[in-house]
Amino acid sequence: MQPAWEVLLSPLCVTSPPIFERAAGAALDTFRLSIADFDVLNTLHRIGSPDGSKPTDLARAALITTGAMTARLDRLERAGLIRRRADPADRRGSLVRLTAKGGKVADRALRALIDVNESYLEPLSAGQRDALASTLRILLLRQERVLG
């Protein structure tokens, strides 16, 4: 199974963002998730901290404001996918972790996004897929160096 970050930087996402957004949105609709909601669930799943993660760290990882993260967390908590609790190390803060249901939804949603990518790449041979991945990797690594 490909790592979650590769799903979000998949050939479909890189070569045709509007098509990716439609296809990913349709796949995630099954789970009543937006791409933004999936991003939070997937980040929590990837981190896998049993104690939870700070909302400010999640906001930083998603490149959004803490206010926007609070709105996402509220939505996910109402759906029973995450749980927030007081941070014992910081009385003003909280920690967020996936519920059992949230972990299952994160796994299934990731599989659905991988299936979207596989469907997109289906017409290509294994060699063509490898060539495409190598080419995109070169472009993305160069952009990382250029943009810092």
Side-chain angles (χ1 to χ4, degrees):
M1 180 171 348
Q2 74 192 113
W5 65 268
E6 285 186 10
V7 169
L8 298 178
L9 290 176
S10 70
L12 176 55
C13 178
V14 174
T15 60
S16 186
I19 293 173
F20 172 76
E21 286 183 23
R22 277 196 314 272
L28 293 173
D29 277 349
T30 305
F31 306 99
R32 296 187 176 166
L33 294 174
S34 67
I35 292 173
D37 292 338
F38 170 76
D39 183 45
V40 174
L41 291 181
N42 190 54
T43 299
L44 287 168
H45 196 277
R46 193 176 62 248
I47 292 169
S49 171
D51 296 329
S53 299
K54 294 181 179 187
T56 52
D57 293 340
L58 294 171
R60 193 175 307 112
L63 304 174
I64 61 172
T65 67
T66 54
M69 181 55 69
T70 296
R72 289 181 188 180
L73 295 175
D74 288 345
R75 200 168 42 248
L76 293 169
E77 189 171 41
R78 279 192 304 273
L81 302 175
I82 64 149
R83 183 173 302 119
R84 287 187 265 203
R85 67 178 181 88
D87 183 347
D90 179 1
R91 291 186 337 185
R92 298 169 297 153
S94 64
L95 295 172
V96 180
R97 57 183 275 260
L98 289 174
T99 61
K101 177 183 174 183
K104 289 176 186 171
V105 168
D107 283 339
R108 291 194 320 246
L110 177 58
R111 170 57 26 210
L113 289 178
I114 290 170
D115 290 346
V116 165
N117 285 318
E118 287 298 319
S119 176
Y120 181 72
L121 295 172
E122 191 270 329
L124 301 178
S125 69
Q128 289 170 320
R129 287 179 186 207
D130 289 344
L132 177 60
S134 294
T135 301
L136 291 174
R137 188 173 297 113
I138 290 166
L139 292 172
L140 290 170
L141 289 173
R142 180 177 185 281
Q143 281 305 109
E144 281 183 3
R145 283 193 308 274
V146 169
L147 298 175

